[in-house]
Amino acid sequence: MRVSKAQAQANREHIVETASVMFRERGFDGVGVADLMAAAGFTHGGFYKHFGSKADLMAEASANSLARSLVSAEALSVQDFVDVYVSRDHRDGRATGCTMAALCGDAARQSGDLKSAFADGIEQTLQTLGEKYPTRPDAPPGETREKMIDLLARAVGAVMLSRACPDDSALADEILAVCHAQMTASISSES
Amino acid sequence: MRVSKAQAQANREHIVETASVMFRERGFDGVGVADLMAAAGFTHGGFYKHFGSKADLMAEASANSLARSLVSAEALSVQDFVDVYVSRDHRDGRATGCTMAALCGDAARQSGDLKSAFADGIEQTLQTLGEKYPTRPDAPPGETREKMIDLLARAVGAVMLSRACPDDSALADEILAVCHAQMTASISSES
DNA sequence: TGTACATCAGTGAACGCGCGTTCACTGATGTAC
DNA sequence: TGTACATCAGTGAACGCGCGTTCACTGATGTAC
């Protein structure tokens, strides 16, 4: 049952989108090709008409969701980013949250292709955040970038540590609340 | 071939130790029971004489390496901790480095037992770091703990983001260098 | 202290199962005339 | 525009393989007398 070119392209995009959600929820190893294709509404055999291997899809789905997360980031101030990112909603919504926080631990053990996708995503995030950050007239060159790198590491670290704690533990919430406050203080002391 | 009680206990500890290294290197899903037992010098069948399941060992190995990492932390000042932790050596030595940075992404998807081990490890680390941190006489209660939570999140986030970048990328080194400098500035501005 | 027997850490074959991947097949789409 | 044929997205059975776990067995250790 051949399908129109446009439909095939739409199906492919739907598979990538489904994969990016499932990978964030369960990790790369926690999602099987058959699992994924069933969730997308297909049988597993057709997978290899679209992708060379599962590893190829992992890289493509990661690149996709890393780039996509910036769509919302572009509309936010740096303080808004912190509010949205270092929050219980984000911590509890792994499947639709930031790909860095969901998968950077797994990415460390993957191929260069996958890591390149992550590096590109990190770089784009730093650019987008930097453009939203108010710069002092006398600021040394690179100061904004340095602050954004530190801010991103704090945000990712806070969410990941909070997620590693039991679901209703006080520590999980404390990590988020404390890091949110400290990051907010860092931002406002500059502007 | 039965083995003496003391030998059996030593063998068990050796398996836990081997597992904690292999899990940090390859992730929980990347290490099979047979793999692990072979690396420890045994055949796989004996595994269930020591542990109820692979998940049980995952929790025990995590608790073990989370507690063990404090042995070195106890001898360090907070600045020494930052120097050792936010470094290329640590980033490139996943197998023998901090369990939080190696496995907290995986921990988020595991059972409550495993997450409890992580929460305990985080709590112990915060305690140990806090005891090393100089407190101002007029500091409000909880200030030290808040600073240590933020510091730990920054350290873990920096190492994990750096590890997610391709092996020889400039960005991977930049993240470490920038976060190290920012964290150092945060520490010295207080003492 | 010496003997007889129960215990149990470690062995290695075997279990069912799900994995990533391949392949012959189907039939609607796209194309050539 | 209509017909004949090639293309190829999607199907579903099948592949070899490694997974976590079980089990009958071995034989040195630990224990009871």
Side-chain angles (χ1 to χ4, degrees):
Chain A
M1 354 172 131
R2 192 182 185 181
V3 117
S4 77
K5 265 177 160 175
Q7 187 56 246
Q9 180 57 25
N11 290 347
R12 188 196 146 95
E13 281 165 21
H14 178 57
I15 294 167
V16 172
E17 202 65 39
T18 304
S20 95
V21 170
M22 293 181 78
F23 285 146
R24 276 177 279 179
E25 179 71 40
R26 308 192 210 161
F28 294 126
D29 291 341
V31 180
V33 169
D35 263 359
L36 160 68
M37 290 297 279
F42 301 99
T43 54
H44 61 275
F47 179 86
Y48 294 90
K49 291 283 157 48
H50 289 299
F51 311 100
S53 66
K54 183 186 172 185
D56 283 0
L57 174 65
M58 284 159 50
E60 186 169 339
S62 297
N64 181 69
S65 55
L66 282 162
R68 184 86 45 139
S69 76
L70 295 182
V71 175
S72 50
E74 280 181 69
L76 296 166
S77 73
V78 171
Q79 181 63 56
D80 285 342
F81 166 79
V82 171
D83 292 346
V84 168
Y85 201 102
V86 188
S87 71
R88 275 181 284 214
D89 277 356
H90 184 210
R91 179 197 61 200
D92 299 336
R94 224 164 45 212
T96 53
C98 175
T99 299
M100 288 178 246
L103 291 169
C104 79
D106 301 59
R109 302 173 213 118
Q110 303 296 330
S111 72
D113 275 6
L114 203 285
K115 287 182 167 184
S116 290
F118 267 76
D120 290 350
I122 293 169
E123 190 60 55
Q124 280 182 67
T125 302
L126 292 173
Q127 293 299 329
T128 306
L129 284 175
E131 288 161 15
K132 303 296 162 196
Y133 193 72
T135 314
R136 292 173 303 147
D138 61 332
E143 190 195 63
T144 295
R145 179 175 176 86
E146 288 171 13
K147 290 194 172 300
M148 294 307 105
I149 288 173
D150 185 51
L151 201 79
L152 185 61
R154 289 162 100 167
V156 169
V159 170
M160 295 196 76
L161 286 178
S162 185
R163 284 178 178 164
C165 296
D167 291 350
D168 294 318
S169 71
L171 183 57
D173 286 348
E174 186 189 10
I175 290 168
L176 286 186
V178 168
C179 289
H180 181 274
Q182 299 276 326
M183 292 168 72
T184 299
S186 290
I187 294 170
S188 63
S189 73
E190 290 291 330
S191 55
Chain B
M1 356 173 129
R2 194 182 184 181
V3 118
S4 76
K5 265 176 158 175
Q7 186 57 247
Q9 180 57 25
N11 290 347
R12 189 195 145 96
E13 283 165 20
H14 177 58
I15 294 167
V16 172
E17 203 65 39
T18 304
S20 96
V21 170
M22 292 179 78
F23 285 146
R24 276 176 280 178
E25 179 71 40
R26 308 192 213 160
F28 294 126
D29 290 342
V31 180
V33 169
D35 263 0
L36 159 67
M37 290 298 279
F42 301 99
T43 52
H44 62 275
F47 179 85
Y48 294 90
K49 290 285 157 46
H50 289 299
F51 310 99
S53 66
K54 183 187 173 184
D56 283 359
L57 174 67
M58 283 159 50
E60 186 169 338
S62 297
N64 180 70
S65 56
L66 283 161
R68 184 86 44 138
S69 75
L70 295 181
V71 174
S72 51
E74 281 181 68
L76 295 167
S77 72
V78 171
Q79 180 62 58
D80 284 342
F81 165 79
V82 171
D83 291 347
V84 168
Y85 202 102
V86 188
S87 70
R88 273 181 285 216
D89 277 356
H90 184 210
R91 179 196 62 199
D92 298 336
R94 224 164 46 211
T96 54
C98 174
T99 300
M100 288 179 248
L103 289 170
C104 80
D106 301 60
R109 300 173 215 120
Q110 303 295 331
S111 72
D113 276 7
L114 204 283
K115 287 183 169 185
S116 290
F118 267 76
D120 291 350
I122 293 169
E123 190 59 56
Q124 281 183 67
T125 303
L126 293 173
Q127 294 298 329
T128 307
L129 283 175
E131 287 162 16
K132 304 296 161 199
Y133 192 72
T135 315
R136 292 173 303 146
D138 61 333
E143 191 196 63
T144 295
R145 180 176 175 85
E146 288 171 13
K147 289 195 173 299
M148 293 308 104
I149 288 173
D150 185 51
L151 200 78
L152 185 61
R154 289 163 98 168
V156 169
V159 170
M160 295 196 76
L161 285 178
S162 186
R163 283 178 178 163
C165 295
D167 291 352
D168 295 317
S169 71
L171 182 57
D173 286 348
E174 186 189 10
I175 290 167
L176 286 185
V178 167
C179 289
H180 181 275
Q182 299 275 327
M183 291 168 73
T184 299
S186 291
I187 295 169
S188 61
S189 72
E190 290 292 328
S191 56

